[in-house]
Amino acid sequence: SFSLQESLKAVLQAGQQAILFLNRRGSSTYVFCRDCGYTLKCPNCEIPLTLHLQQSKQLTCHVCGYNRQMPTSCPQCGSKRIRHYGTGTERVETEVKQLLPGVRTLRWDFETSRGKGAHEMIMQHFKNHQADVLIGTQMLAKGLDLPLVTLVGIILADVGLTLPDYRASERTFQLLMQVAGRAGRSPLGGHVIIQSFMPEHYAIQAAASHDFTTFYNKELDYRRELKYPPYVDLVRMEYRHLSEEKAKAAADLMAERLRDWIKEQHHRSMALIGPVRPFYERVNRLYRWQIILKGANPAALLAGKALPDWRVEVNPPNLL
């Protein structure tokens, strides 16, 4: 944004440092054909592949690690109009260098920190002012003490906010608060610029004003209304299989058994959600189906029951 551009220039002119945060790796978040709409997806997980320009135009799955080269034509229709879209940390670094010629940048994400000692090397370089702008993912949210950092720019605060998970707002708020805390930790002071397509969202508003209490109360209101923890307990049951049909059949059968057990044990307040496909429908070639139980102590319903091949989590960290 114009505001972030001007702030970056002012910080660099003052001989200070800046952090740019984007919770996405790579150069582009998906690749698709402009003629037929075909999207390149991982054959193991069926999620869009991410383009990494700095790795010889390599497409990568960030779930299972599958790699392939960027095609020159569409695998489905043969069109040459295959393009990459979206923004990742590599793309942000490229844009910063074009905007501010001569700027010294460092990138801190999964790709740049895989080697032994890479984390320490990146941080030492930045602490020694061998770079002006540090660009990275959620690794930047750690408790870093960088006295010369007087500006934090959050490029796309909405990443993760609309995921189909009841804790999406909580995780976004927590991450934004942590990243924002990297600026102004010295007498030099500092400020944070949050870029968002949903600036009215209560998690964005609360993070921008560093207002934990307002977020906490608002989030609890939603949890109470929708009957999510801490007001009820959850049990997540997941089934995986190489065959999509067998995975669905097993999930349907388990759902019927659960409904019978709920009736037999008179759990009138217990809710059963599903079976449904999770957000990540397929991981490492295995199709996934899940069932959610909501209520007071839903784990008791499963006590002593044989659940072969089912993964069971009580109050799971996410429902994805």
Side-chain angles (χ1 to χ4, degrees):
S1 65
F2 179 75
S3 174
L4 185 51
Q5 289 182 35
E6 294 303 303
S7 295
L8 270 174
K9 292 174 184 176
V11 164
L12 298 183
Q13 287 171 1
Q16 297 163 1
Q17 293 174 299
I19 285 177
L20 296 180
F21 170 78
L22 174 65
N23 203 19
R24 276 182 180 159
R25 291 137 53 190
S27 295
S28 299
T29 46
Y30 67 104
V31 177
F32 83 104
C33 174
R34 294 187 65 181
D35 285 333
C36 73
Y38 177 79
T39 300
L40 273 77
K41 295 183 178 181
C42 173
N44 303 322
C45 306
E46 295 186 357
I47 66 170
L49 295 169
T50 299
L51 175 66
H52 291 268
L53 287 173
Q54 296 183 13
Q55 297 178 13
S56 303
K57 290 192 174 182
Q58 191 175 73
L59 296 172
T60 301
C61 173
H62 288 162
V63 174
C64 74
Y66 168 84
N67 291 299
R68 64 158 292 173
Q69 289 296 306
M70 173 77 176
T72 57
S73 60
C74 174
Q76 180 165 281
C77 74
S79 169
K80 298 292 184 182
R81 299 211 310 155
I82 189 159
R83 299 288 185 270
H84 45 88
Y85 291 86
T87 300
T89 46
E90 289 180 23
R91 173 74 178 277
V92 171
E93 185 177 35
T94 301
E95 295 284 339
V96 169
K97 288 180 175 179
Q98 291 175 353
L99 176 68
L100 303 167
V103 67
R104 299 172 301 167
T105 63
L106 272 176
R107 188 159 51 85
W108 193 10
D109 54 25
F110 181 75
E111 277 68 36
T112 61
S113 59
R114 281 188 288 189
K116 185 178 180 181
H119 290 279
E120 293 76 12
M121 187 185 304
I122 292 170
M123 283 313 305
Q124 201 59 46
H125 275 36
F126 197 59
K127 278 187 176 182
N128 293 340
H129 207 170
Q130 293 174 270
D132 306 304
V133 181
L134 179 62
I135 301 160
T137 56
Q138 57 186 329
M139 296 176 181
L140 297 176
K142 298 176 181 178
L144 310 174
D145 187 13
L146 302 166
L148 282 178
V149 172
T150 57
L151 171 67
V152 169
I154 298 173
I155 305 297
L156 186 59
D158 313 324
V159 173
L161 194 57
T162 56
L163 287 173
D165 183 61
Y166 76 98
R167 289 187 61 196
S169 296
E170 177 188 352
R171 283 195 297 268
T172 299
F173 173 76
Q174 179 182 2
L175 192 57
L176 294 182
M177 290 277 280
Q178 288 176 326
V179 174
R182 299 313 103 215
R185 296 169 67 90
S186 75
L188 293 173
H191 67 288
V192 180
I193 294 176
I194 298 176
Q195 296 183 176
S196 171
F197 287 105
M198 296 184 286
E200 74 287 346
H201 194 285
Y202 67 97
I204 304 292
Q205 289 283 333
S209 56
H210 222 72
D211 188 350
F212 171 79
T213 302
T214 297
F215 173 80
Y216 177 80
N217 291 330
K218 189 79 170 178
E219 184 69 12
L220 280 185
D221 287 342
Y222 282 126
R223 299 277 186 94
R224 186 185 300 108
E225 182 181 346
L226 298 172
K227 294 183 173 59
Y228 276 114
Y231 299 101
V232 300
D233 288 321
L234 296 181
V235 166
R236 177 177 176 270
M237 303 177 64
E238 182 192 327
Y239 190 87
R240 300 185 180 190
H241 202 281
L242 284 168
S243 165
E244 184 176 13
E245 292 75 19
K246 289 182 178 179
K248 184 179 184 307
D252 288 338
L253 179 60
M254 179 56 69
E256 287 301 316
R257 288 177 178 171
L258 289 169
R259 292 187 186 99
D260 290 340
W261 295 340
I262 289 172
K263 289 179 182 177
E264 289 170 6
Q265 298 181 31
H266 306 291
H267 289 286
R268 294 187 180 89
S269 62
M270 190 172 299
L272 185 151
I273 303 172
V276 295
R277 292 185 177 92
F279 180 73
Y280 298 109
E281 298 181 12
R282 193 178 179 214
V283 174
N284 284 324
R285 298 186 179 274
L286 296 174
Y287 291 93
R288 307 168 69 216
W289 282 79
Q290 70 179 15
I291 299 171
I292 309 296
L293 292 171
K294 287 204 305 184
N297 193 20
L301 181 71
L302 306 178
K305 303 290 195 303
L307 302 169
D309 302 320
W310 279 88
R311 303 171 184 225
V312 180
E313 290 181 284
V314 179
N315 291 326
N318 66 70
L319 300 177
L320 302 175

